[in-house]
Amino acid sequence: MQAILEAIQAGASGDDLANLPIPESYRAAFVKRDEQNMWEGVASEDKDPRKSLHVGEVATPELAPDEVYVAVMASAINFNTVWTSIFEPVSTFGFLDRLGKESVWGARHALPYHVVGSDAAGVVVRTGSAVRNWKAGDKVTIHCNHVDDQDPSAHDDSMLASNQRIWGFETNFGSLADLTVVKANQLMPKPKHLTWEEAASNALCNSTSYRMIVSPHAGDLKQGQAVLVWGATGGIGGYAVQYVLNGGGTPVGVVSSDKRRRLLNEMGVEHVIDRREAGYQFWKDEHTQDEKEWRRLGKDIRSLIGRDVDTVFEHPGRQTFGASVFAAARGGKIVTCAATSGYMIEYDNRHLWMKLKSIVSSHFANYKEAWAANQLIAEGKIQPLLSRTYALEETGAAALAVHKNEIEGKAGVLCLAPEKGLGIDDPEFREKVGEDKITLFQRFDQSEI
Ligand code: NAP
Protein backbone atom coordinates (compact mmCIF):
# COMPACT_ATOMS: atom_id res chain seq x y z
CA MET A 1 0.00 0.00 0.00
CA GLN A 2 3.01 2.26 0.53
CA ALA A 3 3.75 2.29 -3.23
CA ILE A 4 0.11 3.19 -3.94
CA LEU A 5 0.21 5.99 -1.37
CA GLU A 6 3.44 7.37 -2.82
CA ALA A 7 1.96 7.31 -6.33
CA ILE A 8 -1.19 9.12 -5.13
CA GLN A 9 0.91 11.73 -3.34
CA ALA A 10 3.08 12.21 -6.42
CA GLY A 11 -0.05 12.82 -8.55
CA ALA A 12 0.40 9.65 -10.64
CA SER A 13 -1.93 9.23 -13.63
CA GLY A 14 -4.85 6.81 -13.51
CA ASP A 15 -2.99 4.48 -15.88
CA ASP A 16 0.07 4.46 -13.64
CA LEU A 17 -2.09 3.72 -10.60
CA ALA A 18 -3.90 0.96 -12.47
CA ASN A 19 -0.54 -0.68 -13.24
CA LEU A 20 0.59 -0.85 -9.62
CA PRO A 21 0.12 -4.28 -8.04
CA ILE A 22 -2.70 -4.65 -5.50
CA PRO A 23 -1.10 -6.08 -2.33
CA GLU A 24 -2.15 -9.51 -1.10
CA SER A 25 -3.00 -8.11 2.32
CA TYR A 26 -3.77 -4.72 3.82
CA ARG A 27 -4.13 -3.01 7.23
CA ALA A 28 -7.68 -2.95 8.58
CA ALA A 29 -9.79 -2.56 11.73
CA PHE A 30 -11.91 -5.63 12.45
CA VAL A 31 -13.82 -7.61 15.05
CA LYS A 32 -13.26 -11.36 15.43
CA ARG A 33 -15.89 -14.06 15.10
CA ASP A 34 -14.38 -16.05 17.97
CA GLU A 35 -14.83 -13.03 20.26
CA GLN A 36 -18.50 -12.38 19.46
CA ASN A 37 -19.61 -13.65 22.88
CA MET A 38 -16.92 -11.71 24.77
CA TRP A 39 -19.39 -9.25 26.33
CA GLU A 40 -21.75 -11.78 27.90
CA GLY A 41 -23.03 -10.37 31.18
CA VAL A 42 -21.47 -6.93 30.57
CA ALA A 43 -23.76 -3.87 30.54
CA SER A 44 -23.83 -1.91 27.25
CA GLU A 45 -22.25 1.17 28.73
CA ASP A 46 -19.33 -0.85 30.09
CA LYS A 47 -18.45 -2.48 26.77
CA ASP A 48 -15.19 -0.96 25.57
CA PRO A 49 -14.68 -1.07 21.77
CA ARG A 50 -10.90 -0.81 22.33
CA LYS A 51 -11.04 -4.46 23.47
CA SER A 52 -13.05 -5.79 20.52
CA LEU A 53 -11.71 -3.71 17.59
CA HIS A 54 -8.35 -4.95 16.39
CA VAL A 55 -6.06 -3.42 13.77
CA GLY A 56 -3.93 -5.79 11.68
CA GLU A 57 -3.32 -7.29 8.24
CA VAL A 58 -6.17 -9.02 6.41
CA ALA A 59 -6.18 -10.81 3.05
CA THR A 60 -7.25 -8.79 0.00
CA PRO A 61 -10.47 -10.24 -1.45
CA GLU A 62 -10.84 -10.93 -5.16
CA LEU A 63 -12.59 -8.17 -7.14
CA ALA A 64 -16.05 -8.86 -8.66
CA PRO A 65 -16.74 -7.40 -12.13
CA ASP A 66 -19.02 -4.63 -10.78
CA GLU A 67 -16.62 -3.62 -7.99
CA VAL A 68 -13.62 -1.35 -7.48
CA TYR A 69 -10.71 -1.28 -5.09
CA VAL A 70 -10.36 2.09 -3.41
CA ALA A 71 -7.20 3.18 -1.59
CA VAL A 72 -8.76 4.67 1.54
CA MET A 73 -7.14 7.95 2.51
CA ALA A 74 -9.51 8.59 5.42
CA SER A 75 -12.61 7.11 7.01
CA ALA A 76 -14.95 7.99 9.88
CA ILE A 77 -16.69 6.36 12.80
CA ASN A 78 -20.40 5.76 12.59
CA PHE A 79 -22.63 4.47 15.32
CA ASN A 80 -22.97 1.19 13.38
CA THR A 81 -19.28 0.47 14.15
CA VAL A 82 -20.12 0.97 17.82
CA TRP A 83 -22.97 -1.57 17.46
CA THR A 84 -20.62 -4.03 15.73
CA SER A 85 -17.92 -3.61 18.36
CA ILE A 86 -20.27 -4.19 21.29
CA PHE A 87 -22.03 -7.03 19.39
CA GLU A 88 -25.43 -5.38 19.93
CA PRO A 89 -28.28 -5.81 19.25
CA VAL A 90 -26.85 -8.81 17.37
CA SER A 91 -23.43 -9.96 16.21
CA THR A 92 -22.82 -8.75 12.64
CA PHE A 93 -21.34 -12.15 11.69
CA GLY A 94 -24.95 -13.33 11.13
CA PHE A 95 -25.26 -10.68 8.36
CA LEU A 96 -22.01 -11.86 6.76
CA ASP A 97 -23.12 -15.49 6.87
CA ARG A 98 -26.43 -14.67 5.15
CA LEU A 99 -24.61 -12.71 2.46
CA GLY A 100 -22.19 -15.61 2.15
CA LYS A 101 -25.03 -17.94 1.13
CA GLU A 102 -26.33 -15.58 -1.56
CA SER A 103 -23.81 -15.97 -4.37
CA VAL A 104 -20.25 -16.93 -5.24
CA TRP A 105 -19.16 -13.33 -4.72
CA GLY A 106 -21.18 -13.05 -1.52
CA ALA A 107 -19.31 -16.05 -0.13
CA ARG A 108 -16.14 -13.93 0.13
CA HIS A 109 -17.75 -11.98 3.01
CA ALA A 110 -18.32 -14.83 5.48
CA LEU A 111 -14.96 -14.80 7.23
CA PRO A 112 -13.64 -15.25 10.77
CA TYR A 113 -13.21 -11.45 10.93
CA HIS A 114 -15.36 -8.48 9.98
CA VAL A 115 -13.62 -5.37 8.59
CA VAL A 116 -15.87 -2.53 9.73
CA GLY A 117 -16.53 1.04 8.60
CA SER A 118 -19.11 2.67 6.31
CA ASP A 119 -17.60 6.00 5.24
CA ALA A 120 -14.51 6.79 3.19
CA ALA A 121 -12.70 9.19 0.92
CA GLY A 122 -9.98 7.84 -1.30
CA VAL A 123 -8.73 7.03 -4.76
CA VAL A 124 -9.95 4.30 -7.13
CA VAL A 125 -7.00 2.01 -7.88
CA ARG A 126 -8.61 -0.80 -9.89
CA THR A 127 -11.97 -1.32 -11.57
CA GLY A 128 -13.77 -4.58 -12.33
CA SER A 129 -14.50 -5.48 -15.94
CA ALA A 130 -18.16 -4.34 -15.75
CA VAL A 131 -17.41 -0.87 -14.33
CA ARG A 132 -18.18 1.87 -16.85
CA ASN A 133 -18.39 5.27 -15.11
CA TRP A 134 -15.25 5.23 -12.96
CA LYS A 135 -11.56 4.66 -13.55
CA ALA A 136 -8.33 4.34 -11.63
CA GLY A 137 -7.21 7.72 -10.33
CA ASP A 138 -10.74 9.04 -9.60
CA LYS A 139 -10.96 10.72 -6.19
CA VAL A 140 -14.12 9.57 -4.50
CA THR A 141 -16.30 9.46 -1.47
CA ILE A 142 -18.30 6.29 -0.89
CA HIS A 143 -21.89 5.88 0.26
CA CYS A 144 -22.85 2.76 2.14
CA ASN A 145 -25.95 1.52 0.29
CA HIS A 146 -24.92 -1.93 -0.99
CA VAL A 147 -27.47 -3.32 -3.45
CA ASP A 148 -27.46 -5.80 -6.28
CA ASP A 149 -28.70 -3.84 -9.29
CA GLN A 150 -29.69 -7.05 -11.12
CA ASP A 151 -32.48 -7.54 -8.56
CA PRO A 152 -35.75 -5.96 -9.82
CA SER A 153 -36.68 -4.91 -6.28
CA ALA A 154 -33.58 -2.69 -6.27
CA HIS A 155 -35.13 -0.36 -8.84
CA ASP A 156 -37.49 2.54 -8.09
CA ASP A 157 -36.20 3.13 -4.52
CA SER A 158 -33.14 0.95 -3.91
CA MET A 159 -33.63 1.21 -0.15
CA LEU A 160 -36.55 -1.17 -0.75
CA ALA A 161 -34.31 -3.78 -2.41
CA SER A 162 -34.78 -7.17 -0.82
CA ASN A 163 -31.00 -7.58 -0.54
CA GLN A 164 -30.19 -4.01 0.55
CA ARG A 165 -27.28 -3.90 2.98
CA ILE A 166 -25.07 -1.34 4.70
CA TRP A 167 -21.46 -1.65 3.54
CA GLY A 168 -19.02 -2.31 6.39
CA PHE A 169 -21.86 -3.26 8.76
CA GLU A 170 -23.85 -5.90 6.91
CA THR A 171 -21.00 -6.60 4.47
CA ASN A 172 -17.31 -7.24 5.01
CA PHE A 173 -14.33 -5.23 3.64
CA GLY A 174 -15.46 -1.92 5.20
CA SER A 175 -13.78 1.45 5.18
CA LEU A 176 -11.70 1.47 8.35
CA ALA A 177 -8.72 0.15 6.42
CA ASP A 178 -6.10 1.13 3.87
CA LEU A 179 -8.04 -0.58 1.08
CA THR A 180 -11.70 -1.30 0.53
CA VAL A 181 -13.83 -3.18 -1.98
CA VAL A 182 -17.10 -1.51 -2.99
CA LYS A 183 -19.62 -1.71 -5.77
CA ALA A 184 -19.15 0.92 -8.47
CA ASN A 185 -22.66 2.20 -7.67
CA GLN A 186 -21.45 3.33 -4.24
CA LEU A 187 -19.01 5.88 -5.66
CA MET A 188 -19.46 9.66 -5.67
CA PRO A 189 -17.00 12.43 -6.58
CA LYS A 190 -14.92 13.73 -3.68
CA PRO A 191 -15.74 17.39 -2.87
CA LYS A 192 -12.60 19.13 -4.11
CA HIS A 193 -12.41 21.79 -1.38
CA LEU A 194 -12.24 19.37 1.53
CA THR A 195 -9.40 17.48 3.17
CA TRP A 196 -9.48 13.70 2.99
CA GLU A 197 -10.79 13.42 6.55
CA GLU A 198 -13.43 16.13 6.08
CA ALA A 199 -14.62 14.47 2.87
CA ALA A 200 -14.68 11.03 4.49
CA SER A 201 -16.92 12.01 7.38
CA ASN A 202 -20.12 12.96 5.57
CA ALA A 203 -21.76 10.36 3.36
CA LEU A 204 -23.47 8.07 5.85
CA CYS A 205 -24.94 10.68 8.19
CA ASN A 206 -25.43 13.41 5.58
CA SER A 207 -27.36 11.12 3.21
CA THR A 208 -29.44 9.71 6.07
CA SER A 209 -30.45 13.21 7.18
CA TYR A 210 -31.10 14.29 3.57
CA ARG A 211 -33.66 11.49 3.20
CA MET A 212 -35.15 12.08 6.66
CA ILE A 213 -35.59 15.83 6.16
CA VAL A 214 -35.64 16.62 2.43
CA SER A 215 -36.63 13.54 0.43
CA PRO A 216 -40.27 12.85 -0.47
CA HIS A 217 -39.54 9.30 0.75
CA ALA A 218 -39.51 10.59 4.34
CA GLY A 219 -39.41 14.18 5.67
CA ASP A 220 -40.41 16.11 2.52
CA LEU A 221 -39.80 19.41 4.34
CA LYS A 222 -41.70 22.46 3.16
CA GLN A 223 -40.61 26.07 3.63
CA GLY A 224 -41.62 27.46 7.00
CA GLN A 225 -42.01 24.09 8.70
CA ALA A 226 -40.63 23.57 12.18
CA VAL A 227 -38.60 20.47 13.06
CA LEU A 228 -37.59 19.16 16.46
CA VAL A 229 -34.13 17.62 16.08
CA TRP A 230 -32.93 15.34 18.88
CA GLY A 231 -29.13 15.15 19.22
CA ALA A 232 -28.80 18.27 17.10
CA THR A 233 -24.99 18.42 17.27
CA GLY A 234 -24.60 14.66 16.75
CA GLY A 235 -23.71 12.85 13.53
CA ILE A 236 -27.13 12.85 11.88
CA GLY A 237 -28.62 15.75 13.89
CA GLY A 238 -25.90 18.19 12.79
CA TYR A 239 -26.79 17.66 9.12
CA ALA A 240 -30.53 17.66 9.89
CA VAL A 241 -30.46 21.18 11.31
CA GLN A 242 -28.52 22.39 8.26
CA TYR A 243 -31.16 20.90 5.92
CA VAL A 244 -33.97 22.53 7.91
CA LEU A 245 -32.21 25.91 7.78
CA ASN A 246 -31.40 25.53 4.05
CA GLY A 247 -35.02 24.59 3.31
CA GLY A 248 -36.42 27.70 4.93
CA GLY A 249 -37.61 25.84 8.01
CA THR A 250 -37.20 26.41 11.73
CA PRO A 251 -35.10 23.86 13.60
CA VAL A 252 -35.55 23.36 17.34
CA GLY A 253 -32.37 21.61 18.40
CA VAL A 254 -32.15 19.41 21.49
CA VAL A 255 -28.72 18.89 23.06
CA SER A 256 -27.32 18.00 26.46
CA SER A 257 -24.88 20.78 27.34
CA ASP A 258 -24.35 24.49 27.17
CA LYS A 259 -21.30 23.93 24.93
CA ARG A 260 -23.54 22.20 22.40
CA ARG A 261 -26.13 24.97 22.70
CA ARG A 262 -23.40 27.47 21.75
CA LEU A 263 -22.30 25.29 18.84
CA LEU A 264 -25.87 25.24 17.51
CA ASN A 265 -26.12 29.01 17.88
CA GLU A 266 -22.89 29.31 15.82
CA MET A 267 -24.54 27.16 13.13
CA GLY A 268 -27.44 29.61 13.00
CA VAL A 269 -29.88 27.57 15.09
CA GLU A 270 -31.68 30.05 17.28
CA HIS A 271 -34.01 27.73 19.19
CA VAL A 272 -32.26 25.24 21.45
CA ILE A 273 -33.39 23.05 24.34
CA ASP A 274 -30.78 21.70 26.75
CA ARG A 275 -32.36 18.40 27.77
CA ARG A 276 -30.08 17.99 30.79
CA GLU A 277 -30.93 21.48 32.08
CA ALA A 278 -34.64 20.80 31.44
CA GLY A 279 -34.24 17.47 33.28
CA TYR A 280 -37.02 15.69 31.39
CA GLN A 281 -38.01 12.34 32.93
CA PHE A 282 -40.22 10.90 30.20
CA TRP A 283 -40.21 7.54 32.01
CA LYS A 284 -41.30 7.51 35.68
CA ASP A 285 -39.92 3.99 35.95
CA GLU A 286 -38.99 1.21 33.54
CA HIS A 287 -42.65 0.54 32.69
CA THR A 288 -44.45 3.88 33.03
CA GLN A 289 -44.17 7.05 31.01
CA ASP A 290 -45.09 10.45 32.40
CA GLU A 291 -47.44 12.42 30.17
CA LYS A 292 -46.83 15.52 32.28
CA GLU A 293 -43.22 15.46 31.08
CA TRP A 294 -44.30 15.15 27.44
CA ARG A 295 -46.52 18.20 28.00
CA ARG A 296 -43.57 20.06 29.53
CA LEU A 297 -41.51 19.40 26.37
CA GLY A 298 -44.43 20.58 24.21
CA LYS A 299 -44.72 23.74 26.30
CA ASP A 300 -40.98 24.38 26.05
CA ILE A 301 -41.18 24.09 22.24
CA ARG A 302 -44.16 26.46 22.06
CA SER A 303 -42.42 28.95 24.34
CA LEU A 304 -39.54 29.04 21.82
CA ILE A 305 -41.38 29.11 18.47
CA GLY A 306 -44.98 29.87 19.42
CA ARG A 307 -46.37 26.62 17.96
CA ASP A 308 -45.86 22.88 17.69
CA VAL A 309 -43.31 21.29 15.36
CA ASP A 310 -44.44 19.83 12.03
CA THR A 311 -41.81 17.09 12.15
CA VAL A 312 -39.78 15.34 14.81
CA PHE A 313 -36.36 14.01 13.74
CA GLU A 314 -36.37 10.94 15.95
CA HIS A 315 -33.50 8.52 16.66
CA PRO A 316 -32.92 8.18 20.43
CA GLY A 317 -35.82 5.67 20.47
CA ARG A 318 -37.27 4.30 23.68
CA GLN A 319 -36.34 7.22 25.92
CA THR A 320 -37.86 9.93 23.71
CA PHE A 321 -40.35 8.30 21.33
CA GLY A 322 -43.47 8.79 23.46
CA ALA A 323 -42.56 12.47 23.89
CA SER A 324 -41.83 12.81 20.16
CA VAL A 325 -45.27 11.46 19.18
CA PHE A 326 -46.87 13.85 21.65
CA ALA A 327 -44.80 16.87 20.57
CA ALA A 328 -45.55 16.69 16.81
CA ALA A 329 -48.29 19.04 15.63
CA ARG A 330 -51.72 17.85 14.46
CA GLY A 331 -51.07 16.25 11.06
CA GLY A 332 -47.33 16.20 11.79
CA LYS A 333 -44.70 13.52 11.22
CA ILE A 334 -42.32 11.60 13.41
CA VAL A 335 -39.48 10.51 11.12
CA THR A 336 -37.47 7.73 12.73
CA CYS A 337 -34.25 6.01 11.66
CA ALA A 338 -32.90 4.53 14.87
CA ALA A 339 -33.41 3.63 18.51
CA THR A 340 -30.13 4.27 20.31
CA SER A 341 -31.64 4.03 23.81
CA GLY A 342 -33.77 0.95 23.05
CA TYR A 343 -35.90 -0.36 20.21
CA MET A 344 -38.96 -1.59 22.12
CA ILE A 345 -40.93 1.61 21.79
CA GLU A 346 -44.03 2.80 23.64
CA TYR A 347 -46.25 5.78 22.84
CA ASP A 348 -49.86 6.78 23.44
CA ASN A 349 -51.65 5.91 20.22
CA ARG A 350 -54.50 8.33 20.98
CA HIS A 351 -52.11 11.22 20.40
CA LEU A 352 -51.22 9.72 17.03
CA TRP A 353 -54.63 8.88 15.54
CA MET A 354 -56.78 11.62 17.08
CA LYS A 355 -54.38 14.23 15.72
CA LEU A 356 -53.73 12.46 12.43
CA LYS A 357 -49.98 12.27 12.90
CA SER A 358 -47.82 9.75 11.08
CA ILE A 359 -44.75 7.79 11.97
CA VAL A 360 -42.46 7.55 8.96
CA SER A 361 -39.57 5.12 8.89
CA SER A 362 -36.36 6.06 7.13
CA HIS A 363 -33.11 4.20 6.59
CA PHE A 364 -29.93 5.52 4.95
CA ALA A 365 -30.63 6.77 1.38
CA ASN A 366 -30.76 5.52 -2.18
CA TYR A 367 -27.93 6.37 -4.64
CA LYS A 368 -29.78 9.38 -6.04
CA GLU A 369 -30.41 10.82 -2.57
CA ALA A 370 -26.82 10.14 -1.46
CA TRP A 371 -25.55 11.77 -4.66
CA ALA A 372 -27.73 14.86 -4.10
CA ALA A 373 -26.50 15.14 -0.51
CA ASN A 374 -22.87 14.76 -1.66
CA GLN A 375 -23.44 17.45 -4.30
CA LEU A 376 -24.67 19.89 -1.64
CA ILE A 377 -21.42 19.30 0.26
CA ALA A 378 -19.44 19.80 -2.97
CA GLU A 379 -21.26 23.10 -3.57
CA GLY A 380 -20.46 24.30 -0.05
CA LYS A 381 -24.14 24.43 0.91
CA ILE A 382 -23.87 21.77 3.61
CA GLN A 383 -20.79 21.78 5.84
CA PRO A 384 -18.88 18.77 7.15
CA LEU A 385 -19.21 18.05 10.86
CA LEU A 386 -15.73 16.61 11.42
CA SER A 387 -14.64 17.50 14.93
CA ARG A 388 -11.82 15.13 15.89
CA THR A 389 -9.47 12.92 13.87
CA TYR A 390 -7.88 9.67 15.01
CA ALA A 391 -5.25 7.33 13.54
CA LEU A 392 -6.46 3.95 12.23
CA GLU A 393 -4.70 2.27 15.18
CA GLU A 394 -6.95 4.32 17.47
CA THR A 395 -10.21 3.08 15.90
CA GLY A 396 -11.26 1.47 19.19
CA ALA A 397 -10.71 4.71 21.12
CA ALA A 398 -12.63 6.66 18.48
CA ALA A 399 -15.55 4.22 18.68
CA LEU A 400 -15.47 4.43 22.49
CA ALA A 401 -15.74 8.24 22.35
CA VAL A 402 -18.79 7.95 20.06
CA HIS A 403 -20.28 5.23 22.30
CA LYS A 404 -19.88 7.54 25.32
CA ASN A 405 -21.49 10.54 23.54
CA GLU A 406 -18.26 12.51 24.00
CA ILE A 407 -18.00 13.84 20.46
CA GLU A 408 -19.92 16.51 18.62
CA GLY A 409 -20.44 15.82 14.91
CA LYS A 410 -18.11 13.22 13.47
CA ALA A 411 -14.91 11.42 14.45
CA GLY A 412 -12.63 11.05 11.44
CA VAL A 413 -9.96 8.37 11.03
CA LEU A 414 -6.79 8.70 8.95
CA CYS A 415 -6.09 5.55 6.97
CA LEU A 416 -3.46 5.98 4.22
CA ALA A 417 -3.33 9.78 4.63
CA PRO A 418 -0.16 10.34 6.67
CA GLU A 419 -1.44 13.49 8.37
CA LYS A 420 -4.45 15.75 8.70
CA GLY A 421 -5.13 18.59 6.28
CA LEU A 422 -4.18 16.87 3.00
CA GLY A 423 -6.32 16.37 -0.09
CA ILE A 424 -7.60 19.90 -0.79
CA ASP A 425 -7.68 20.29 -4.61
CA ASP A 426 -9.62 23.57 -4.80
CA PRO A 427 -8.30 26.01 -2.19
CA GLU A 428 -10.00 28.98 -3.89
CA PHE A 429 -13.43 27.41 -3.50
CA ARG A 430 -12.57 26.48 0.09
CA GLU A 431 -11.84 30.11 0.78
CA LYS A 432 -15.09 31.15 -0.89
CA VAL A 433 -17.13 28.72 1.25
CA GLY A 434 -15.23 29.88 4.33
CA GLU A 435 -12.59 28.07 6.39
CA ASP A 436 -14.50 29.10 9.52
CA LYS A 437 -17.68 27.38 8.39
CA ILE A 438 -15.92 24.23 7.18
CA THR A 439 -13.89 23.80 10.37
CA LEU A 440 -16.52 24.95 12.89
CA PHE A 441 -16.78 21.58 14.66
CA GLN A 442 -12.97 21.09 14.62
CA ARG A 443 -12.38 24.49 16.19
CA PHE A 444 -15.15 23.88 18.70
CA ASP A 445 -13.57 20.55 19.66
CA GLN A 446 -10.28 22.32 20.28
CA SER A 447 -12.19 24.80 22.47
CA GLU A 448 -11.41 27.74 20.24
CA ILE A 449 -15.03 28.84 20.50
P1 NAP B 1 -24.14 10.44 17.57
O1 NAP B 1 -23.17 11.20 16.75
O2 NAP B 1 -23.66 9.71 18.77
O3 NAP B 1 -25.28 11.47 17.99
C1 NAP B 1 -26.44 11.07 18.66
C2 NAP B 1 -26.94 12.20 19.54
O4 NAP B 1 -28.17 11.79 20.12
C3 NAP B 1 -26.00 12.53 20.68
O5 NAP B 1 -25.17 13.59 20.30
C4 NAP B 1 -26.93 12.91 21.82
O6 NAP B 1 -27.02 14.33 21.85
C5 NAP B 1 -28.30 12.37 21.40
N1 NAP B 1 -28.77 11.35 22.31
C6 NAP B 1 -28.12 10.20 22.66
N2 NAP B 1 -28.88 9.52 23.53
C7 NAP B 1 -30.01 10.25 23.74
C8 NAP B 1 -31.17 10.08 24.55
N3 NAP B 1 -31.32 8.99 25.32
N4 NAP B 1 -32.12 11.04 24.52
C9 NAP B 1 -31.98 12.13 23.74
N5 NAP B 1 -30.90 12.35 22.96
C10 NAP B 1 -29.94 11.41 22.96
O7 NAP B 1 -24.89 9.36 16.69
P2 NAP B 1 -25.46 9.54 15.20
O8 NAP B 1 -24.42 9.22 14.22
O9 NAP B 1 -26.15 10.85 15.12
O10 NAP B 1 -26.52 8.37 15.18
C11 NAP B 1 -27.67 8.41 16.02
C12 NAP B 1 -28.42 7.09 15.88
O11 NAP B 1 -28.89 6.97 14.54
C13 NAP B 1 -27.57 5.85 16.14
O12 NAP B 1 -28.36 4.88 16.79
C14 NAP B 1 -27.20 5.35 14.75
O13 NAP B 1 -26.95 3.98 14.69
C15 NAP B 1 -28.46 5.73 13.99
N6 NAP B 1 -28.27 5.94 12.55
C16 NAP B 1 -29.12 5.30 11.70
C17 NAP B 1 -28.96 5.48 10.35
C18 NAP B 1 -29.86 4.77 9.39
O14 NAP B 1 -29.60 4.82 8.19
N7 NAP B 1 -30.91 4.12 9.82
C19 NAP B 1 -27.95 6.31 9.85
C20 NAP B 1 -27.12 7.00 10.76
C21 NAP B 1 -27.30 6.79 12.11
P3 NAP B 1 -27.16 15.18 23.22
O15 NAP B 1 -26.56 14.34 24.31
O16 NAP B 1 -26.39 16.41 22.94
O17 NAP B 1 -28.63 15.41 23.38
Side-chain angles (χ1 to χ4, degrees):
M1 289 308 305
Q2 188 57 31
I4 290 176
L5 172 62
E6 282 167 18
I8 290 170
Q9 287 184 308
S13 70
D15 285 347
D16 286 348
L17 276 175
N19 284 326
L20 287 175
I22 300 294
E24 284 177 10
S25 69
Y26 62 100
R27 193 176 58 131
F30 55 85
V31 293
K32 294 181 183 173
R33 189 185 286 267
D34 63 8
E35 290 183 352
Q36 61 186 324
N37 298 319
M38 68 188 285
W39 300 122
E40 263 173 23
V42 180
S44 281
E45 59 272 21
D46 297 330
K47 295 179 181 173
D48 183 343
R50 289 175 301 181
K51 295 191 178 139
S52 51
L53 280 168
H54 307 274
V55 177
E57 289 288 308
V58 297
T60 305
E62 200 185 330
L63 196 65
D66 62 346
E67 291 178 341
V68 302
Y69 288 127
V70 175
V72 181
M73 300 303 281
S75 181
I77 301 293
N78 283 292
F79 219 94
N80 64 7
T81 288
V82 176
W83 296 127
T84 301
S85 70
I86 64 175
F87 299 109
E88 280 191 33
V90 291
S91 160
T92 47
F93 285 99
F95 302 142
L96 303 187
D97 291 343
R98 275 197 289 285
L99 173 54
K101 289 184 189 130
E102 223 166 65
S103 68
V104 174
W105 293 110
R108 292 170 302 169
H109 293 255
L111 292 168
Y113 55 84
H114 183 183
V115 177
V116 290
S118 306
D119 256 325
V123 182
V124 175
V125 288
R126 197 76 96 247
T127 55
S129 57
V131 176
R132 294 171 298 282
N133 298 342
W134 302 90
K135 57 185 186 326
D138 286 343
K139 295 181 179 176
V140 294
T141 58
I142 304 173
H143 76 74
C144 61
N145 184 16
H146 183 280
V147 284
D148 178 353
D149 55 19
Q150 290 178 20
D151 174 352
S153 68
H155 293 270
D156 189 12
D157 177 9
S158 62
M159 287 309 296
L160 296 180
S162 52
N163 56 10
Q164 188 280 330
R165 294 183 165 88
I166 298 294
W167 160 62
F169 178 62
E170 294 165 290
T171 77
N172 215 325
F173 321 127
S175 63
L176 286 156
D178 289 340
L179 191 78
T180 189
V181 179
V182 295
K183 287 181 182 282
N185 62 16
Q186 290 177 249
L187 300 177
M188 308 186 291
K190 173 189 171 285
K192 292 187 170 70
H193 65 297
L194 299 182
T195 65
W196 291 114
E197 61 278 12
E198 288 164 355
S201 63
N202 303 306
L204 189 147
C205 286
N206 181 38
S207 313
T208 301
S209 299
Y210 179 91
R211 183 167 169 122
M212 287 180 77
I213 298 288
V214 182
S215 169
H217 284 125
D220 202 12
L221 180 86
K222 301 284 183 288
Q223 288 191 23
Q225 290 191 328
V227 184
L228 182 76
V229 179
W230 292 104
T233 61
I236 51 175
Y239 295 102
V241 293
Q242 294 187 69
Y243 282 116
V244 178
L245 287 170
N246 279 5
T250 304
V252 178
V254 186
V255 287
S256 62
S257 71
D258 191 54
K259 264 178 85 180
R260 292 181 176 182
R261 174 196 293 274
R262 281 186 288 114
L263 180 56
L264 278 182
N265 292 155
E266 286 280 330
M267 294 173 83
V269 180
E270 194 185 328
H271 308 295
V272 182
I273 294 174
D274 180 340
R275 66 181 172 103
R276 293 256 163 92
E277 192 181 63
Y280 302 123
Q281 294 290 334
F282 299 134
W283 288 85
K284 280 189 210 166
D285 59 51
E286 211 184 311
H287 307 288
T288 329
Q289 296 207 54
D290 188 346
E291 188 171 326
K292 282 202 303 300
E293 288 293 274
W294 300 348
R295 289 186 186 281
R296 194 155 71 84
L297 171 68
K299 204 169 150 213
D300 288 347
I301 293 168
R302 283 191 293 280
S303 75
L304 287 171
I305 60 167
R307 60 191 173 100
D308 293 326
V309 288
D310 302 284
T311 300
V312 180
F313 183 87
E314 167 58 51
H315 53 92
R318 184 171 172 81
Q319 281 187 16
T320 55
F321 207 91
S324 295
V325 170
F326 179 83
R330 184 178 280 268
K333 278 183 194 172
I334 299 90
V335 183
T336 175
C337 76
T340 315
S341 64
Y343 50 81
M344 295 307 282
I345 302 292
E346 194 178 286
Y347 62 90
D348 184 335
N349 203 26
R350 291 168 301 174
H351 291 299
L352 190 83
W353 98 71
M354 296 286 284
K355 294 198 172 151
L356 301 118
K357 306 180 189 185
S358 36
I359 295 171
V360 180
S361 59
S362 193
H363 185 40
F364 188 61
N366 62 36
Y367 196 4
K368 194 173 175 194
E369 290 161 339
W371 189 282
N374 186 63
Q375 183 63 22
L376 288 163
I377 300 257
E379 291 176 8
K381 291 175 181 153
I382 293 288
Q383 305 309 330
L385 303 178
L386 180 71
S387 61
R388 209 179 290 175
T389 304
Y390 293 81
L392 184 60
E393 279 72 17
E394 299 169 317
T395 298
L400 178 65
V402 173
H403 184 30
K404 295 278 174 197
N405 189 12
E406 287 168 3
I407 290 196
E408 286 76 40
K410 299 293 304 172
V413 175
L414 294 181
C415 298
L416 278 176
E419 56 185 287
K420 290 197 291 181
L422 304 175
I424 300 170
D425 287 324
D426 192 344
E428 290 79 22
F429 186 62
R430 186 177 178 92
E431 207 181 313
K432 195 169 161 199
V433 175
E435 186 73 25
D436 277 7
K437 278 195 199 165
I438 296 167
T439 60
L440 178 65
F441 275 61
Q442 295 175 67
R443 291 184 294 115
F444 186 87
D445 192 57
Q446 289 153 17
S447 297
E448 284 175 31
I449 294 169

